[in-house]
């Protein structure tokens, strides 16, 4: 496999940052009263099915900035508004050494509703599924998060400066997707998380359900102690590769952050059979030990998917 040099990756990080800022400026200045909302075939939640002209134009702006790198380094592109579940194995991301993984507007639903919780997310992912570069821009605040995963010269920055968030309180914030509240496993899962954190001496649990997947993960990084989780499910959905690739790169750039599937294994960011992440779930942590969540306290032992064909065998 071709390996990009650190200097090449630094240039690509700068380019991804430029692309995210360009899209972010457009999103921040768009008059939301002029939104035109359409629907697309996607996952099984409303947030995955809505699309606006802002999503589409943001994608165009990003690709215009990234196009020279796509040609120069022979990169594939996976972007939410161009993605399809058809012929996954033949997609260029499965053949090329690296691919850009883009969510031009994550959190479209809160954007439509006139609230915060949306972001631009751009990642560079290797063919093996490892996140290499991650850039997240929050148009509502103007904050930009950058990461470059490297053994020699890792980068983790917020607004161009080294970023090291610290724990300031003893109450754990649990970030969840709004759709999870309708899941039959929701109450059991929240009770289990509450039990786990109290055994570790934390004071209690605060639930936040107003953001898209990208800002949920950023919220975990910014506000420790915190957790963001998505349980595995049989139905397609559970977020997509572009929802988690950039924040996974950010997580890998700091020993204080944790990002994995629900069982503590590395996220499968170049999945061969789907763009969705429903198969193994997602877990982000900061300021909390991962061990209680992924070993004897594994949440799936207490919250089996009622739609899974073998759920009657889970305990």
């Amino acid at each position: 496999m071709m390996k990009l040099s650190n200097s090449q990756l630094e240039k690509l990080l700068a380019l991804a940052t430029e692309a995210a800022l360009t899209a972010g400026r457009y999103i921040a200045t768009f008059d939301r009263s002029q939104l035109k909302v359409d629907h697309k075939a996607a996952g099984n939640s409303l947030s995955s099915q809505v699309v606006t002209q802002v999503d589409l134009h943001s994608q165009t702006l990003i690709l215009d900035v990234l196009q020279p790198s796509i040609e120069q380094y022979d990169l594939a592109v996976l972007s939410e508004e161009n993605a399809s579940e058809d012929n996954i194995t033949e997609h260029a991301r499965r053949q090329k050494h690296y691919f850009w993984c883009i969510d031009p507007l994550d959190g479209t639903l809160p954007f439509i509703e006139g609230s915060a919780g949306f972001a631009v997310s751009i990642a560079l992912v290797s063919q093996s599924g490892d996140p290499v570069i991650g850039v997240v821009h929050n148009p509502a605040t103007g904050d930009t998060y950058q990461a470059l995963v490297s053994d020699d010269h890792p980068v983790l920055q917020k607004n161009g400066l080294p970023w090291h968030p610290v724990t300031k309180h003893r109450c754990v914030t649990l970030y969840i997707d709004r759709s999870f509240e309708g899941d039959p496993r929701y109450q059991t899962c929240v009770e289990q998380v509450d039990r786990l954190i109290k055994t570790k001496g934390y004071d209690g649990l605060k639930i936040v359900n107003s953001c898209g997947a990208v800002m949920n993960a950023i919220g975990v990084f910014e506000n420790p102690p915190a957790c963001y989780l998505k349980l595995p499910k049989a139905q397609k959905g559970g977020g997509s590769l572009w929802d988690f690739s950039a924040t996974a790169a950010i997580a890998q750039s700091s020993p204080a952050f944790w990002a994995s599937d629900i069982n503590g294994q590395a996220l499968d960011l170049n999945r061969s059979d789907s763009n969705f992440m429903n198969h193994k779930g997602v877990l982000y942590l900061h300021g909390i030990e991962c061990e209680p969540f992924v070993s004897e306290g594994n949440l799936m032992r207490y919250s089996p998917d009622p739609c899974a064909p073998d759920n009657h065998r889970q305990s």
Side-chain angles (χ1 to χ4, degrees):
M1 173 180 164
M2 175 192 74
K3 185 174 181 179
L4 294 169
S5 69
N6 207 75
S7 62
Q8 290 172 323
L9 290 173
E10 288 174 350
K11 292 177 182 178
L12 290 172
L13 176 62
L15 197 65
T17 303
E18 177 188 348
L21 290 172
T22 299
R25 284 190 291 268
Y26 163 69
I27 293 168
T29 58
F30 187 86
D31 180 359
R32 284 190 250 186
S33 68
Q34 303 301 311
L35 274 174
K36 299 177 182 177
V37 181
D38 293 315
H39 289 77
K40 59 185 178 181
N44 64 342
S45 67
L46 178 61
S47 60
S48 65
Q49 295 168 356
V50 291
V51 63
T52 72
Q53 73 268 42
V54 177
D55 298 74
L56 298 173
H57 189 59
S58 176
Q59 176 172 273
T60 298
L61 292 171
I62 291 168
L63 292 176
D64 284 347
V65 175
L66 297 182
Q67 189 58 42
S69 71
I70 295 168
E71 297 172 0
Q72 181 177 358
Y73 298 106
D74 193 26
L75 306 176
V77 176
L78 177 68
S79 187
E80 177 174 11
E81 308 312 333
N82 286 344
S84 170
E85 282 294 284
D86 297 330
N87 300 318
I88 294 290
T89 57
E90 298 177 12
H91 192 281
R93 70 175 171 86
R94 299 291 305 161
Q95 321 302 328
K96 305 285 187 179
H97 296 293
Y98 297 88
F99 66 95
W100 286 118
C101 192
I102 302 164
D103 194 336
L105 177 57
D106 181 73
T108 300
L109 196 55
F111 182 75
I112 292 170
E113 295 171 342
S115 59
F118 52 90
V120 179
S121 179
I122 302 173
L124 185 71
V125 181
S126 71
Q127 189 181 55
S128 59
D130 297 314
V132 181
I133 286 171
V135 177
V136 171
H137 179 70
N138 181 354
T141 63
D143 290 322
T144 303
Y145 305 85
Q146 300 165 285
L148 192 163
V149 182
S150 169
D151 293 333
D152 300 323
H153 300 95
V155 173
L156 179 61
Q157 296 182 335
K158 176 183 177 182
N159 299 329
L161 298 173
W163 182 42
H164 305 287
V166 296
T167 302
K168 298 179 181 178
H169 49 79
R170 296 295 299 172
C171 180
V172 173
T173 303
L174 174 63
Y175 290 84
I176 62 168
D177 298 331
R178 191 186 313 179
S179 60
F180 185 42
E181 292 181 321
D183 190 308
R185 301 170 292 174
Y186 172 72
Q187 191 60 43
T188 301
C189 182
V190 170
E191 291 172 357
Q192 175 63 4
V193 171
D194 187 58
R195 186 191 72 81
L196 285 174
I197 65 170
K198 286 179 178 176
T199 63
K200 296 300 178 179
Y202 295 101
D203 294 339
L205 195 65
K206 172 187 175 183
I207 297 176
V208 175
N209 67 350
S210 57
C211 302
V214 173
M215 289 310 299
N216 277 336
I218 293 295
V220 170
F221 302 150
E222 284 276 28
N223 302 296
C227 168
Y228 171 39
L229 61 86
K230 294 176 73 71
L231 297 182
K233 60 183 182 179
Q235 308 99 319
K236 285 193 173 182
S240 302
L241 302 178
W242 47 80
D243 291 315
F244 305 109
S245 292
T247 53
I250 292 171
Q252 288 200 17
S253 298
S254 170
F257 300 158
W258 177 273
S260 71
D261 68 22
I262 205 71
N263 295 309
Q265 302 302 308
L267 291 173
D268 187 3
L269 296 174
N270 197 14
R271 186 179 175 185
S272 62
D273 57 345
S274 177
N275 294 317
F276 292 115
M277 300 287 284
N278 57 289
H279 60 321
K280 295 182 179 179
V282 174
L283 177 66
Y284 284 76
L285 299 167
H286 182 201
I288 309 174
E289 294 178 45
C290 64
E291 187 268 342
F293 285 85
V294 300
S295 59
E296 79 278 357
N298 188 304
L299 297 170
M300 284 308 297
R301 291 174 54 203
Y302 300 89
S303 306
D305 183 358
C307 298
D310 60 346
N311 70 79
H312 60 283
R313 293 195 294 270
Q314 297 177 9
S315 60

